[in-house]
């Protein structure tokens, strides 16, 4: 069944540049993520020759992974970077406190930086605040970024890396309100001031990321305690996991209601983004333009436990969620400057020597077309597909879920329009008239659609293309065009403008 919808793109309403880093990634020493998802060792059959898993490198390269956050996560606040440099055979094995088992330290700073280089991504390092010290963090910065005749710069050179790495993004602790040390926000602000004072002084070119929270209380109390030291913060970060087995079901087994609950709750994430922005703006009072980073986000299904190494399947539903969340981030391009999906396992899954590209991988591959474009305002009208509950999980009334969710951007030369549209309906195709408010002619359009027969479909090691993309090109020559978006699909339109 087909119903009418409309999508009007405001060609003269620029939101901001879409920072390519909102399509970023996160790797942590947990489960199969690093070993063997990223690092397999030089002698492995599936190595790229540097010791990195070739399939993972290829996947991240092909989606233009712009930035990778490492080493955690909770792991970061127990990680001592000096364990992971120097000859691999003499690196100490340590307990992995958060994710169990032992850490071999085979994949350390030099490997991480080289991995980022091979992939073409910018490195983002999270320093240990919880069990570390400013001195340790400063030594790590010196190892990475300084070029003089100093102890740690020389250590890097003697490990074979003469040129400094110039790591720009540094996180000061991870979830310091929880696994990072269970600090309170004011105490964390004091620690943040200590760490950031020395880090910024040693290398003023770096960008520092403070640990925020999804509770308004933490962000307000932290920002208030930082009020007179606002120059030390470049970004405030929050994490958001869709994690509620009862409400969302399992990774592959979920009811229609659970499917809709998941998408409906994206509004909750939006609300938390707005609250974090409010805290930033209120306390920085226009004195500094502090950005928001969502440096961990994703779906955390009940199957992903410490025991399973956080392994979970990724269905078309997860891809639809990722697409709608990336639409949301794109619409907030004026404030959200980076986001890192947790973890690289959400774009490619590994088992022994086998690898599969997940449905979420395809979303990142499609959405890379927004990178570095200008985000545009879009008015998207479509029928309600889920009316939600009277009271949401946050005891606030949320809006009913509409069938179509969209975001748009325009290339810097203003010649190409990119429109990403998610049809969140489970049973209806929707036809939409796509227009622009300036009457500019659309010359040619290419539609890429990600879909499968069933929203519970996923790619597995035996059949890798259950969820895949198809592409069609159309000549238009008009300032509007009608497209039909199939039920439970993710779509990217690239439109050449006159
Ligand atoms: O991604 C798994 C964990 O989730 C991270 O280590 C932590 O930061 C978050 O709670």
């Amino acid at each position: 069944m087909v119903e009418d919808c409309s999508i009007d793109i405001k060609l003269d309403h620029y939101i901001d540049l879409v920072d390519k880093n909102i399509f970023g990634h996160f790797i942590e020493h947990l489960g199969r993520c690093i070993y063997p998802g990223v690092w397999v060792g030089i002698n492995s059959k599936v190595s790229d020759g540097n010791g990195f898993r070739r399939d993972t490198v290829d996947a991240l390269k092909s989606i233009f992974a712009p930035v990778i956050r490492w080493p955690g996560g909770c792991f970061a606040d127990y990680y001592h970077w000096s364990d992971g440099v120097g000859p691999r055979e003499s690196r100490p094995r340590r307990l992995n406190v958060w994710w169990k088992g032992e850490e071999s330290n085979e994949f350390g700073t030099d490997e991480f930086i080289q991995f980022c280089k091979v992939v073409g991504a910018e490195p983002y390092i999270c320093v240990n605040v919880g069990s570390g010290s400013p001195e340790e963090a400063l030594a790590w910065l010196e190892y990475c970024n300084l070029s003089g005749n100093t102890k740690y710069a020389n250590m890097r050179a003697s490990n074979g890396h003469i040129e400094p790495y110039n790591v720009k993004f540094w996180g000061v602790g991870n979830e310091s309100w929880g696994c990072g040390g269970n600090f309170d926000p004011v105490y964390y602000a004091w620690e943040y001031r200590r760490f950031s004072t020395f880090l910024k002084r040693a290398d003023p070119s770096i960008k520092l990321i403070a640990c925020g929270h999804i509770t308004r209380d933490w962000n307000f109390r932290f920002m208030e305690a930082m009020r007179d030291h606002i120059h030390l913060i470049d970004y405030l970060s929050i994490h958001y996991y869709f994690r509620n087995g009862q409400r969302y079901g399992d990774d592959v087994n979920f009811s229609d209601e659970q499917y809709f609950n998941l998408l409906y709750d994206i509004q909750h994430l939006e609300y938390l983004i707005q609250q974090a922005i409010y805290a930033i703006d209120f306390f920085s009072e226009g004195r500094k333009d502090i950005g928001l980073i969502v440096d961990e986000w994703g779906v955390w299904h009940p199957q992903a436990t410490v025991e399973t190494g956080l392994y979970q399947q990724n269905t078309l539903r997860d891809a639809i969620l990722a697409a709608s969340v990336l639409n949301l981030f794109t619409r907030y391009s004026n404030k959200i400057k980076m986001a890192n999906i947790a973890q690289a396992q959400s774009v490619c899954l590994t088992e022994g020597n086998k690898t599969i590209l997940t449905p979420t991988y395809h979303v990142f591959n499609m959405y890379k077309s927004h990178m570095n474009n200008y985000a545009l305002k879009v008015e998207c009208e479509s029928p309600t597909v889920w009316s939600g509950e009277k009271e949401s999980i946050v005891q606030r009334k949320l809006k009913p879920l509409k069938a179509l969710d969209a975001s748009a951007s325009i290339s810097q030369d203003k010649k190409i329009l990119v429109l990403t549209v998610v049809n969140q309906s489970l049973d209806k195709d929707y036809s939409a008239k796509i227009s622009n408010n300036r009457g500019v002619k659309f010359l040619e359009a290419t539609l890429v659609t990600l879909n499968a027969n069933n929203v519970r479909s996923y790619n597995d090691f035996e059949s890798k293309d259950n969820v895949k993309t198809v592409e069609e090109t159309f000549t238009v020559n008009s300032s509007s065009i009608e497209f039909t978006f199939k039920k439970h699909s993710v779509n990217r339109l690239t439109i050449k403008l006159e």
Side-chain angles (χ1 to χ4, degrees):
M1 189 177 164
V2 173
E3 289 191 28
D4 289 330
C5 312
S6 66
I7 299 176
D8 190 40
I9 303 162
K10 308 294 178 194
L11 281 184
D12 50 8
H13 190 135
Y14 285 41
I15 300 172
D16 208 332
L17 270 186
V18 182
D19 199 312
K20 65 179 185 327
N21 289 340
I22 68 172
F23 305 97
H25 297 268
F26 167 46
I27 56 171
E28 180 171 10
H29 292 248
L30 61 75
R32 304 182 200 172
C33 184
I34 304 269
Y35 312 108
V38 169
W39 178 256
V40 284
I42 291 172
N43 299 324
S44 163
K45 274 196 238 146
V46 293
S47 156
D48 68 341
N50 299 299
F52 307 127
R53 191 182 186 107
R54 198 186 314 116
D55 294 342
T56 306
V57 167
D58 289 347
L60 291 174
K61 258 170 114 169
S62 64
I63 56 179
F64 302 165
V67 61
I68 303 177
R69 177 175 183 253
W70 172 83
C74 297
F75 183 82
D77 281 287
Y78 184 70
Y79 181 64
H80 299 285
W81 70 272
S82 56
D83 290 344
V85 294
R88 263 179 230 117
E89 56 287 358
S90 34
R91 296 183 191 172
R93 292 182 72 80
R94 299 273 190 203
L95 185 66
N96 187 331
V97 170
W98 288 104
W99 307 111
K100 305 298 172 213
E102 293 176 5
E103 169 56 46
S104 69
N105 279 306
E106 277 177 71
F107 186 85
T109 304
D110 300 322
E111 289 79 13
F112 171 60
I113 299 292
Q114 198 191 355
F115 179 66
C116 289
K117 279 202 180 120
V118 170
V119 164
E122 180 124 25
Y124 163 13
I125 288 179
C126 181
V127 306
N128 176 349
V129 171
S131 67
S133 65
E135 186 187 9
E136 184 186 24
L138 205 51
W140 201 359
L141 176 68
E142 184 183 318
Y143 184 89
C144 290
N145 285 10
L146 300 195
S147 55
N149 181 19
T150 61
K151 177 173 171 179
Y152 295 106
N154 286 336
M155 187 188 279
R156 183 193 65 242
S158 67
N159 287 336
H161 311 282
I162 295 170
E163 293 304 319
Y165 293 145
N166 297 321
V167 177
K168 177 171 157 195
F169 295 111
W170 293 81
V172 180
N174 169 76
E175 296 190 356
S176 304
W177 38 264
C179 66
N182 283 309
F183 297 154
D184 74 31
V186 175
Y187 182 80
Y188 172 66
W190 288 18
E191 287 294 320
Y192 184 88
R193 274 146 58 169
R194 251 163 41 99
F195 276 72
S196 57
T197 298
F198 300 105
L199 291 170
K200 280 262 189 207
R201 181 79 186 169
D203 183 352
S205 72
I206 60 173
K207 298 288 176 199
L208 291 182
I209 297 141
C211 172
H213 195 3
I214 53 174
T215 66
R216 194 161 63 159
D217 176 67
W218 170 282
N219 293 338
F220 269 82
R221 290 173 63 203
F222 168 72
M223 289 299 295
E224 185 179 26
M226 290 297 300
R227 195 177 210 148
D228 296 330
H229 307 275
I230 224 71
H231 63 286
L232 295 172
I233 309 177
D234 296 300
Y235 303 96
L236 185 74
S237 82
I238 59 170
H239 292 175
Y240 192 83
Y241 286 97
F242 294 83
R243 188 180 184 189
N244 186 334
Q246 213 179 343
R247 203 168 151 74
Y248 310 140
D250 288 349
D251 53 359
V252 294
N253 295 309
F254 50 87
S255 64
D256 289 358
E257 180 175 341
Q258 287 168 327
Y259 164 86
F260 284 120
N261 284 342
L262 183 67
L263 299 177
Y264 181 77
D265 287 353
I266 295 174
Q267 294 178 78
H268 182 41
L269 167 60
E270 180 170 11
Y271 171 74
L272 297 170
I273 287 170
Q274 289 166 347
Q275 294 298 305
I277 292 173
Y278 184 55
I280 291 171
D281 290 349
F282 186 81
F283 289 103
S284 57
E285 295 161 330
R287 288 172 296 148
K288 184 161 183 200
D289 193 10
I290 297 173
L292 181 67
I293 285 184
V294 187
D295 54 13
E296 286 184 34
W297 70 273
V299 191
W300 190 328
H301 296 299
Q303 284 60 42
T305 61
V306 173
E307 291 67 35
T308 62
L310 265 61
Y311 189 84
Q312 59 184 13
Q313 251 307 343
N314 187 279
T315 63
L316 178 57
R317 172 177 73 154
D318 296 302
I320 288 172
L321 176 101
S324 295
V325 169
L326 291 173
N327 279 345
L328 173 72
F329 292 162
T330 305
R331 294 194 296 263
Y332 277 83
S333 284
N334 58 332
K335 206 64 191 178
I336 301 183
K337 300 297 171 187
M338 190 195 293
N340 310 72
I341 192 164
Q343 310 225 348
Q345 292 177 120
S346 58
V347 293
C348 60
L349 288 171
T350 60
E351 194 175 82
N353 286 347
K354 297 187 221 156
T355 304
I356 42 167
L357 300 174
T358 65
T360 297
Y361 161 87
H362 292 291
V363 170
F364 277 82
N365 203 25
M366 292 159 76
Y367 275 59
K368 69 187 182 195
S369 305
H370 281 305
M371 287 181 179
N372 296 328
N373 282 0
Y374 290 107
L376 297 173
K377 191 170 162 32
V378 187
E379 266 168 23
C380 179
E381 297 296 338
S382 63
T384 294
V385 286
W386 182 249
S387 48
E389 306 131 314
K390 277 213 183 94
E391 298 295 329
S392 75
I393 46 170
V394 280
Q395 303 302 306
R396 263 181 332 104
K397 188 146 173 38
L398 299 178
K399 289 183 276 184
L401 184 75
K402 301 282 183 183
L404 301 187
D405 182 81
S407 72
S409 68
I410 189 164
S411 59
Q412 294 197 19
D413 64 8
K414 321 240 167 68
K415 290 190 173 148
I416 308 280
L417 195 62
V418 178
L419 176 68
T420 44
V421 182
V422 188
N423 181 353
Q424 307 180 116
S425 168
L426 280 181
D427 56 2
K428 284 185 193 157
D429 299 346
Y430 284 97
S431 170
K433 180 179 172 207
I434 298 164
S435 56
N436 70 81
N437 67 330
R438 300 297 298 266
V440 174
K441 210 184 246 182
F442 299 150
L443 299 178
E444 190 184 276
T446 301
L447 176 67
V448 176
T449 300
L450 176 73
N451 209 346
N453 294 338
N454 193 305
V455 77
R456 293 164 186 85
S457 302
Y458 56 89
N459 295 335
D460 62 27
F461 297 99
E462 281 65 50
S463 117
K464 296 184 170 189
D465 280 325
N466 295 330
V467 187
K468 59 173 194 234
T469 54
V470 290
E471 184 173 321
E472 281 174 276
T473 298
F474 309 81
T475 304
V476 191
N477 274 323
S478 157
S479 60
S480 69
I481 181 171
E482 192 137 327
F483 275 105
T484 299
F485 299 109
K486 302 269 187 226
K487 63 185 177 186
H488 51 65
S489 67
V490 179
N491 306 270
R492 184 199 67 198
L493 268 165
T494 34
I495 303 174
K496 275 194 199 142
L497 297 176
E498 188 178 36

